[in-house]
Amino acid sequence: MEVSENATMRGPLALVSIILPVHNAEQWLDECLMSVLQQDFEGAMELSVFNDASKDKSRAIIEKWKVKLEDSGISVVIGGHDSPSPRGVGYSKNQAVAQSTGSYLCFLDSDDVMMPQRVRMQYEAAGQHPTSIIGCQVRRDPPDSTERYTRWINHLTSDQLLTQVFTSHGPTVIMPTWFCSRAWFSHVGPFDEGGQGVPEDLLFFYEHLRKGGGVFRVDHSLLLYRYHLYAATHSVLEMTIWTHRVHFLEEQVLPHWKSFTIWNAGKQGRKLYRSLTAASRHKVVAFCDVDENKIRKGFYCYEDSQERPKPKVPILHFQAAQSPFVICVKLDLTGGEFEDNLKSLDLQEGRDFVHFS
């Protein structure tokens, strides 16, 4: 472990600590650290960097910016290690939090850029929502990358921040925008330190919700959120995410429903059915769809079931189906048709249906 500055030698405690894990980030670090320097927050601010075995020039860039930041009144603490292999994002964030002093934590990825008002605006929101994760809207770079995802990030309603937590998109406020109190982080955390392939942000978010935490988004674009092939998120397998999502759905929603309908008799709907525990599958009274070919089949037979006789689940037109629904339809890939069908049933999201698309 290499720590450039002992916590006992530092000055007064910070009000906000910016938590920055770094691994081979030389390409983006200058812009990232400039955005720390340009914050218009007037309270005591600290940057806590943990260098996770970077083999490029990241360490030198961090040391260069340490001088600039401290000259501007922003204290800097640097930790890290130079082992042959990185320990992972969860470990790095936990270490950066542990070595920091701030009453509030502002999480930042080394490839992203904060707008000058980010810390100030999220700090104000955190004071009003002490047990919430505070997020914000983002601007994607390149602008045309992940358009569906970016639209979802920026336009969820305040209610949907809590009801759409089961979708494939993951946390309804994305990790690089998170801001919360240290006290709440300590109550929920730490991050899972399983390393590469572990969705540490999703697991933390689910634990946050289990403990009654709220979700609040500052509706200003406060982060330039980069998309590139080296992002850590690409190391997490889709099936890993799927398994965690199914478990959370079965834990948080399905115990409250005596029965339910899966909306989508196609591939995704059938995959969800097969992924459920036997107890949850027994609650599925039907699939529903708009596709006449699927409806004409009359039922779906679960051929791999060990039960005898093998389960046969009816396939109905959505207008003949009964709520509540688990919806396995990608909302904005149907040209508005699905949304119109859903509105025609006059259902309440969260109570009568949840999205699992």
Side-chain angles (χ1 to χ4, degrees), residues 74-146:
I74 299 170
S75 61
V76 179
V77 57
I78 304 168
H81 68 98
D82 55 6
S83 303
S85 301
R87 293 283 299 274
V89 181
Y91 175 81
S92 300
K93 283 188 283 207
N94 286 338
Q95 292 297 313
V97 169
Q99 70 190 17
S100 70
T101 66
S103 300
Y104 290 87
L105 307 174
C106 175
F107 291 91
L108 176 63
D109 282 359
S110 58
D111 51 358
D112 295 332
V113 179
M114 298 190 290
M115 300 302 107
Q117 64 272 39
R118 181 190 170 188
V119 170
R120 172 175 55 83
M121 295 186 77
Q122 290 192 300
Y123 171 75
E124 291 168 357
Q128 298 172 356
H129 304 274
T131 61
S132 288
I133 290 176
I134 310 299
C136 64
Q137 293 176 323
V138 302
R139 180 162 56 90
R140 201 57 153 145
D141 181 45
D144 57 352
S145 62
T146 67

Side-chain angles (χ1 to χ4, degrees), residues 3-247:
V3 179
S4 69
E5 190 176 6
N6 191 299
T8 61
M9 297 171 61
R10 298 207 302 275
L13 302 184
L15 192 54
V16 175
S17 292
I18 297 171
I19 304 302
L20 182 63
V22 173
H23 174 67
N24 291 345
E26 65 177 6
Q27 182 177 347
W28 306 285
L29 264 178
D30 280 313
E31 263 192 286
C32 176
L33 294 171
M34 175 64 82
S35 77
V36 174
L37 182 66
Q38 293 177 335
Q39 291 302 297
D40 64 14
F41 180 65
E42 295 182 352
M45 196 164 64
E46 167 188 78
L47 174 66
S48 179
V49 184
F50 190 82
N51 181 15
D52 189 20
S54 294
K55 305 305 180 193
D56 62 0
K57 297 176 182 175
S58 292
R59 180 176 176 178
I61 295 170
I62 293 163
E63 293 289 354
K64 174 187 72 176
W65 277 95
K66 180 179 186 292
V67 177
K68 295 181 182 180
L69 290 163
E70 291 189 334
D71 284 349
S72 298
I74 299 170
S75 61
V76 179
V77 57
I78 304 168
H81 68 98
D82 55 6
S83 303
S85 301
R87 293 283 299 274
V89 181
Y91 175 81
S92 300
K93 283 188 283 207
N94 286 338
Q95 292 297 313
V97 169
Q99 70 190 17
S100 70
T101 66
S103 300
Y104 290 87
L105 307 174
C106 175
F107 291 91
L108 176 63
D109 282 359
S110 58
D111 51 358
D112 295 332
V113 179
M114 298 190 290
M115 300 302 107
Q117 64 272 39
R118 181 190 170 188
V119 170
R120 172 175 55 83
M121 295 186 77
Q122 290 192 300
Y123 171 75
E124 291 168 357
Q128 298 172 356
H129 304 274
T131 61
S132 288
I133 290 176
I134 310 299
C136 64
Q137 293 176 323
V138 302
R139 180 162 56 90
R140 201 57 153 145
D141 181 45
D144 57 352
S145 62
T146 67
E147 288 181 280
R148 286 183 62 247
Y149 181 44
T150 306
R151 193 160 52 244
W152 182 83
I153 292 168
N154 288 336
H155 294 110
L156 289 173
T157 66
S158 58
D159 288 339
Q160 288 173 331
L161 292 174
L162 287 173
T163 60
Q164 294 208 7
V165 298
F166 307 99
T167 76
S168 60
H169 290 319
T172 48
V173 288
I174 60 167
M175 172 69 220
T177 72
W178 286 6
F179 190 110
C180 66
S181 73
R182 177 182 296 275
W184 185 253
F185 175 87
S186 299
H187 179 62
V188 175
F191 289 105
D192 187 292
E193 296 187 358
Q196 189 174 29
V198 173
E200 83 292 332
D201 55 345
L202 183 67
L203 296 178
F204 186 97
F205 188 68
Y206 283 169
E207 187 61 22
H208 163 76
L209 295 173
R210 287 185 187 106
K211 293 192 172 180
V215 185
F216 183 85
R217 186 186 66 223
V218 176
D219 281 341
H220 293 269
S221 181
L222 302 180
L223 189 79
L224 180 68
Y225 179 39
R226 284 206 170 96
Y227 177 83
H228 55 85
L229 295 177
Y230 306 106
T233 186
H234 296 309
S235 71
V236 182
L237 296 176
E238 184 180 335
M239 195 60 205
T240 300
I241 300 286
W242 175 274
T243 301
H244 287 301
R245 289 169 56 213
V246 172
H247 177 74

Side-chain angles (χ1 to χ4, degrees), residues 256-267:
H256 303 290
W257 291 351
K258 292 181 180 178
S259 63
F260 65 97
T261 300
I262 295 176
W263 192 317
N264 185 351
K267 182 178 178 182

